[in-house]
């Protein structure tokens, strides 16, 4: 589709205007406005008519038309004060004045403006469906130019802009950046706890969420991308019982926004649609107790939604929901995390963000890994509209380990301070020694801390995901687990024994005193919680414990000297004896149990109450209970204690460096 306008040559399919030996690339929507004006050459067409033709399902916004006219005038070097091509008719609209003898032939070919739009729509549909599936991405380039954290990005439908949230100096704002020039502008008027964004299909609006003290709100604003300025901001939806938990928001052509919500009291999750015009909300899918809905992604043709679930110990599932029939089917199950979903523009595959990897999954469930070098966490990897680039958020996380003595609880001492994630410290029977996991140099490894020094204990050559740490009772060995192997490492020699198992992933808690076995928390494939189980290191048998016909759902657990199991929910501690009997041992006056251990007929319970930590010492013989304040949560998280609770180990609050990047 080629046009001649004065001395300019217009290629509508390529969205290019050529004149004076210069080729100017034009956004598709701007080109559609030009084609519509051309098909009505010499006629005055109103802003409403142009908007209805180019954005048939959107809310009328005159600024979208005005912006396109401004871009066209600049491309044609047409003076707005003394125009010669695009004429403004006050309070009536615009006309295109093109003295061209080819106009009648052009009208005959197109059959009028409506037919033109149909042709353009069909072309775009065919073009997207035939987009090549590029998989040779290798060059990772930065987008961010600020030292602040930048996250929750969304690329515009035409791929020319990126909207994102920037956090700097304890404030959050929404910004827009032109990808080709790097020009950026803040569009939020005041700082708020912005969480996620969604771009309107016509590119002239943003919807966003704000986290508030009670619940969340969904708001939107229209945009003038010529000046990169917002118009009036409007609240669409507010919830107090739920929080909007989506990484991003999907704004469909009928002004329906799709997002995920989490119930504040029960943590149940659901997929929601909300129409910005009718103000009606619909719950499309609910997950109660068993699976946790993490994210969603609307397909380019708006017929399906990909849903990402946490579906068990180290299991993450992607389902496809047919919006027409409501049918839900599983596409794929992966391990080691899920931090983003995005459809390819041709609708034939989906991108999965997973730790430092990006996977492509076709609609038959076949997985391929995109080969590129990266050691940071990837979130929300997303194809560009052409499919030739991938945009993503890269996250570098730093967590350190601190210690404090019970007698001087406020005197925190930094023990492990690398620039990576150092976490899960576990004291040995000797309170001067502990083991911790560290993710240095892209490797998940175990280090031992003794005599003020760190030493690599377990190299983890295959870099598998690790699930917990447990010490042998004599302090000579350390256990850790992958999804299919228990690793026993001798502390003195670093000698490692691999013990395979055939069970789903479970989490190590503690070694037994009187048998070669480990106490683990385990979630059965059809279970609704995590339960106590015994893994026999000699036979590989996994025995999960039941009480009165119901599985034990445990927040924390431990063993006494006789290998009786003590476990807790959020508010009470229970004991399971050798014969399987279960009795309640202690009840918390307030919910908040985060740890349970026993030592010499004393039950130790750690509580998290508001911003404070409390240690409960309950004498199992006399029933006497003492409650001792052990500090606040300011800047740290209590993670482990010595066997006699004379010392405590903490993790610092994670510091995250979030930057935006593109992969070509």
């Amino acid at each position: 589709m080629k046009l001649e306008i004065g001395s300019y040559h217009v290629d509508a399919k390529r969205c290019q205007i050529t004149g004076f030996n210069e080729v100017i690339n034009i956004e598709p929507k701007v080109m559609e406005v030009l084609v519509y004006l051309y098909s009505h050459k010499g006629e005055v067409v109103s802003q409403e008519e142009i908007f209805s033709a180019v954005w048939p399902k959107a809310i009328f916004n005159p600024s979208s038309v005005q912006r396109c006219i401004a871009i066209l005038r600049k491309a044609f070097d047409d003076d707005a004060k003394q125009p010669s091509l695009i004429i403004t008719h006050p309070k009536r609209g615009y006309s295109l004045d093109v003295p061209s003898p080819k106009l009648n032939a052009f009208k005959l070919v197109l059959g009028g403006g409506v037919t033109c739009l149909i042709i353009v729509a069909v072309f775009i549909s065919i073009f997207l469906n035939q987009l090549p599936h590029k998989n040779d991405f290798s060059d990772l380039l930065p987008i961010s130019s600020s030292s602040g954290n930048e996250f929750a990005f969304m690329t515009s439908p035409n791929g020319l802009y990126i909207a994102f949230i920037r956090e700097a100096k304890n404030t959050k704002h929404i910004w827009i950046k032109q990808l080709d020039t790097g020009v950026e502008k803040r569009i939020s008027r005041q700082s708020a706890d912005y969480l996620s964004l969604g771009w309107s299909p016509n590119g002239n609006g943003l919807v966003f969420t704000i986290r508030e003290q009670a619940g969340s709100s969904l708001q939107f604003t229209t945009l003038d991308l010529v000046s990169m300025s917002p118009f009036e901001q409007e609240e669409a939806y507010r919830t107090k019982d739920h929080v909007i938990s989506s990484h991003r928001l999907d704004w469909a052509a009928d002004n329906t926004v799709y997002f995920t919500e989490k119930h504040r009291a029960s943590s149940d999750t659901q997929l929601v649609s909300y129409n910005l015009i009718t103000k009606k909300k619909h719950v499309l899918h609910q997950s109660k107790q068993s699976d946790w809905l993490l994210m969603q992604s609307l397909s380019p043709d708006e017929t399906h939604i990909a849903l990402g679930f946490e579906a068990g110990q180290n299991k993450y599932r992607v389902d496809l929901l047919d919006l027409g029939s409501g049918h839900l089917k599983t596409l794929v199950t992966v391990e080691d995390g899920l931090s983003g979903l995005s459809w390819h523009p041709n609708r034939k595959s989906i991108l999965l963000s997973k730790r430092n990897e990006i996977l492509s999954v076709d609609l038959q469930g076949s997985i391929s890994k995109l080969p590129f070098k990266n050691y940071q966490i990837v979130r929300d990897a997303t194809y560009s509209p052409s499919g030739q680039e991938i945009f993503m958020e890269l996250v570098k996380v730093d967590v350190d380990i601190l210690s404090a003595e019970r007698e001087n609880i406020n005197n925190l001492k930094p023990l492990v301070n690398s620039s990576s994630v150092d976490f899960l410290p576990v004291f040995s029977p000797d309170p001067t020694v502990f083991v911790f996991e560290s993710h240095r140099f892209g490797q998940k490894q175990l280090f031992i801390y003794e005599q003020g020094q760190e030493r690599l204990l377990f190299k983890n050559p295959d870099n598998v995901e690790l699930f917990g740490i447990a010490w042998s009772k004599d302090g000579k060995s350390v256990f850790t687990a992958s999804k299919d192997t228990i690793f026993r490492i001798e502390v003195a020699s670093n000698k490692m024994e691999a013990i395979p198992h055939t069970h789903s992933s479970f989490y190590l808690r503690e070694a037994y005193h009187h048998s070669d076995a480990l106490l683990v928390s385990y979630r059965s494939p059809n279970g609704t919680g995590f339960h106590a189980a015994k893994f026999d290191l000699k036979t590989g048998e996994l025995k999960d414990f039941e009480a009165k016909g119901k599985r034990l759902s445990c927040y924390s657990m431990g063993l006494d000297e006789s290998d009786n199991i003590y476990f807790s929910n959020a508010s009470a501690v229970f004991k399971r004896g050798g014969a399987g009997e279960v009795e309640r041992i202690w009840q918390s006056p307030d919910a908040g149990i985060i740890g349970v251990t026993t030592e010499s007929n004393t039950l130790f319970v750690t509580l998290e109450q508001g911003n404070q930590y409390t240690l409960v010492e309950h004498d199992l013989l006399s029933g006497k209970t003492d409650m001792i304040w052990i500090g606040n949560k300011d800047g740290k998280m209590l993670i482990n204690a010595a066997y006699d609770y004379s010392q405590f180990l903490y993790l610092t609050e994670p510091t995250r460096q979030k930057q935006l990047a593109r992969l070509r």
Side-chain angles (χ1 to χ4, degrees):
M1 186 189 305
K2 296 184 178 180
L3 319 174
E4 290 186 13
I5 299 178
S7 59
Y8 292 88
H9 301 278
V10 178
D11 189 330
K13 287 187 177 181
R14 293 178 179 269
C15 292
Q16 292 180 338
I17 298 175
T18 304
F20 302 102
N21 297 319
E22 180 184 12
V23 178
I24 303 171
N25 293 312
I26 296 295
E27 301 170 30
K29 288 296 183 184
V30 177
M31 183 59 71
E32 289 183 42
V33 170
L34 176 60
V35 171
Y36 186 83
L37 289 171
Y38 196 101
S39 67
H40 293 78
K41 177 259 178 183
E43 301 174 16
V44 178
V45 288
S46 68
Q47 293 184 8
E48 289 84 354
E49 289 175 301
I50 297 172
F51 191 93
S52 178
V54 178
W55 296 276
K57 296 182 179 181
I59 304 171
F60 173 63
N61 182 1
S63 67
S64 297
V65 178
Q66 294 163 8
R67 171 182 174 274
C68 292
I69 295 296
I71 292 174
L72 289 172
R73 280 179 170 151
K74 183 177 180 181
F76 288 119
D77 197 25
D78 197 25
D79 188 352
K81 295 181 180 180
Q82 294 181 329
S84 59
L85 289 177
I86 302 175
I87 312 301
T88 300
H89 302 266
K91 298 183 179 180
R92 295 176 60 201
Y94 304 97
S95 66
L96 184 65
D97 187 9
V98 184
S100 170
K102 298 183 179 181
L103 176 61
N104 292 335
F106 179 69
K107 281 188 175 181
L108 286 174
V109 171
L110 295 182
V114 175
T115 305
C116 168
L117 290 177
I118 293 175
I119 292 172
V120 172
V122 170
F123 165 75
I124 292 174
S125 177
I126 293 174
F127 173 75
L128 289 178
N129 196 49
Q130 293 179 348
L131 281 174
H133 203 297
K134 178 181 176 181
N135 58 12
D136 57 342
F137 300 94
S138 58
D139 294 331
L140 189 61
L141 304 172
I143 294 175
S144 294
S145 56
S146 166
S147 60
N149 283 327
E150 297 182 354
F151 57 96
F153 73 92
M154 287 289 285
T155 52
S156 62
N158 59 21
L160 300 179
Y161 300 87
I162 188 168
F164 58 92
I165 298 169
R166 175 180 289 163
E167 183 178 16
K169 298 181 180 179
N170 297 319
T171 64
K172 290 182 183 178
H173 281 284
I174 301 174
W175 290 71
I176 291 180
K177 175 180 287 192
Q178 292 180 347
L179 286 167
D180 57 344
T181 66
V183 174
E184 60 182 32
K185 189 171 182 179
R186 195 186 85 188
I187 66 165
S188 54
R189 292 183 173 87
Q190 59 186 16
S191 176
D193 195 0
Y194 300 106
L195 293 179
S196 49
L197 305 175
W199 213 302
S200 64
N202 58 22
N204 71 342
L206 280 175
V207 63
F208 53 91
T209 60
I210 298 177
R211 179 166 50 198
E212 299 172 343
Q213 285 187 341
S216 304
S217 67
L218 183 72
Q219 304 190 20
F220 66 93
T221 183
T222 52
L223 300 169
D224 176 5
L225 289 181
V226 174
S227 62
M228 297 173 64
S229 299
F231 292 95
E232 290 301 314
Q233 180 175 316
E234 183 177 338
E235 181 176 288
Y237 167 69
R238 179 179 293 271
T239 174
K240 293 184 178 180
D241 296 333
H242 293 81
V243 292
I244 299 174
S245 54
S246 295
H247 288 196
R248 50 184 54 201
L249 308 170
D250 291 307
W251 189 339
D254 63 352
N255 289 301
T256 296
V257 179
Y258 297 91
F259 53 90
T260 61
E261 282 186 333
K262 182 172 68 173
H263 194 273
R264 297 181 67 199
S266 66
S267 294
D268 292 339
T269 52
Q270 58 189 24
L271 173 68
V272 170
S273 68
Y274 183 85
N275 190 281
L276 299 174
I277 304 299
T278 65
K279 309 295 184 183
K280 290 184 177 180
K281 170 184 173 180
H282 296 283
V283 177
L284 305 180
H285 177 80
Q286 287 185 308
S287 293
K288 294 186 175 182
Q289 296 184 345
S290 56
D291 294 336
W292 288 270
L293 178 59
L294 302 175
M295 63 197 70
Q296 88 294 325
S297 180
L298 179 66
S299 65
D301 59 1
E302 301 183 2
T303 61
H304 291 76
I305 291 185
L307 302 177
F309 297 88
E310 181 182 349
Q313 184 82 20
N314 197 37
K315 291 188 180 298
Y316 300 85
R317 193 180 72 246
V318 178
D319 290 354
L320 295 183
L321 175 66
D322 188 317
L323 289 174
S325 66
H327 178 66
L328 190 70
K329 70 172 183 179
T330 295
L331 177 65
V332 70
T333 300
V334 297
E335 298 175 334
D336 302 344
L338 182 64
S339 54
L341 292 175
S342 170
W343 289 77
H344 191 281
N346 65 15
R347 307 185 294 275
K348 295 180 180 179
S349 64
I350 298 174
L351 276 187
L352 274 62
S353 305
K354 188 172 77 74
R355 291 294 175 91
N356 62 337
E357 300 177 344
I358 301 177
L359 307 179
S360 177
V361 182
D362 65 26
L363 298 189
Q364 288 71 49
S366 178
I367 300 176
S368 59
K369 180 180 176 181
L370 273 62
F372 75 105
K373 294 181 179 179
N374 171 58
Y375 296 104
Q376 299 186 65
I377 297 172
V378 176
R379 279 176 58 93
D380 296 322
T382 305
Y383 283 111
S384 65
S386 67
Q388 299 304 295
E389 288 186 291
I390 294 175
F391 299 94
M392 69 189 75
E393 175 188 327
L394 294 177
V395 186
K396 183 179 179 181
V397 185
D398 183 14
V399 177
D400 300 322
I401 300 174
L402 312 173
S403 73
E405 296 180 354
R406 177 168 170 172
E407 300 304 320
N408 194 3
I409 200 67
N410 290 321
N411 184 20
L412 293 171
K413 298 178 181 179
L415 298 184
V416 180
N417 182 14
S418 74
S419 60
S420 301
V421 176
D422 303 300
F423 71 114
L424 197 62
V426 179
F427 272 118
S428 79
D430 178 351
T432 65
V433 178
F434 63 87
V435 163
F436 63 96
E437 183 175 343
S438 183
H439 290 183
R440 304 173 192 185
F441 315 112
Q443 289 289 118
K444 308 175 186 70
Q445 299 175 324
L446 296 188
F447 286 76
I448 190 166
Y449 184 93
E450 54 186 347
Q451 298 179 351
Q453 300 292 323
E454 303 171 24
R455 171 171 63 87
L456 180 62
L457 181 66
F458 177 51
K459 291 184 177 181
N460 193 8
D462 296 324
N463 203 25
V464 294
E465 194 78 6
L466 301 177
F467 302 103
I469 296 170
W471 284 85
S472 63
K473 294 305 179 183
D474 59 11
K476 295 181 178 181
S477 300
V478 168
F479 299 92
T480 190
S482 71
K483 66 178 182 180
D484 55 16
T485 307
I486 301 290
F487 301 99
R488 189 200 312 250
I489 308 108
E490 292 184 3
V491 172
S493 65
N494 283 37
K495 181 180 178 181
M496 186 270 292
E497 175 189 5
I499 305 170
H501 69 80
T502 58
H503 311 285
S504 300
S505 300
F506 47 72
Y507 196 87
L508 303 193
R509 298 287 190 152
E510 189 175 339
Y512 273 73
H513 293 76
H514 304 292
S515 60
D516 197 14
L518 297 171
L519 178 67
V520 304
S521 57
Y522 170 73
R523 182 179 177 183
S524 60
N526 60 351
T528 59
F530 295 90
H531 316 289
K534 180 180 181 180
F535 179 79
D536 192 308
L537 290 164
K538 293 181 178 179
T539 66
E541 178 188 6
L542 183 72
K543 180 181 180 181
D544 51 338
F545 299 110
E546 297 185 354
K548 298 180 180 179
K550 296 182 179 179
R551 295 186 182 276
L552 309 179
S553 184
C554 305
Y555 276 57
S556 55
M557 62 187 74
L559 299 168
D560 66 11
E561 289 87 344
S562 300
D563 286 337
N564 297 308
I565 300 173
Y566 290 76
F567 64 94
S568 78
N569 55 29
S571 58
V573 179
F574 303 86
K575 175 185 177 182
R576 183 190 186 278
E581 71 282 4
V582 174
E583 60 177 315
R584 186 169 63 183
I585 300 298
W586 184 80
Q587 178 74 45
S588 172
D590 300 298
I593 297 176
I594 60 173
V596 172
T597 61
T598 63
E599 180 71 26
S600 302
N601 292 317
T602 300
L603 173 70
F604 295 95
V605 183
T606 48
L607 302 177
E608 181 181 278
Q609 299 171 305
N611 191 45
Q612 307 298 318
Y613 290 117
T614 303
L615 174 63
V616 174
E617 295 183 348
H618 177 74
D619 191 305
L620 295 172
L621 300 179
S622 68
K624 180 183 176 182
T625 299
D626 292 323
M627 302 186 72
I628 303 143
W629 179 78
I630 53 172
N632 57 43
K633 294 172 57 179
D634 293 344
K636 61 185 183 299
M637 178 175 66
L638 178 62
I639 197 72
N640 195 244
Y643 74 95
D644 58 357
Y645 283 82
S646 61
Q647 296 186 65
F648 300 92
L649 293 173
Y650 304 86
L651 300 181
T652 60
E653 289 184 350
T655 58
R656 295 179 174 88
Q657 183 180 356
K658 305 177 184 179
Q659 301 295 312
L660 306 181
R662 64 204 307 175
L663 183 62
R664 292 176 173 174

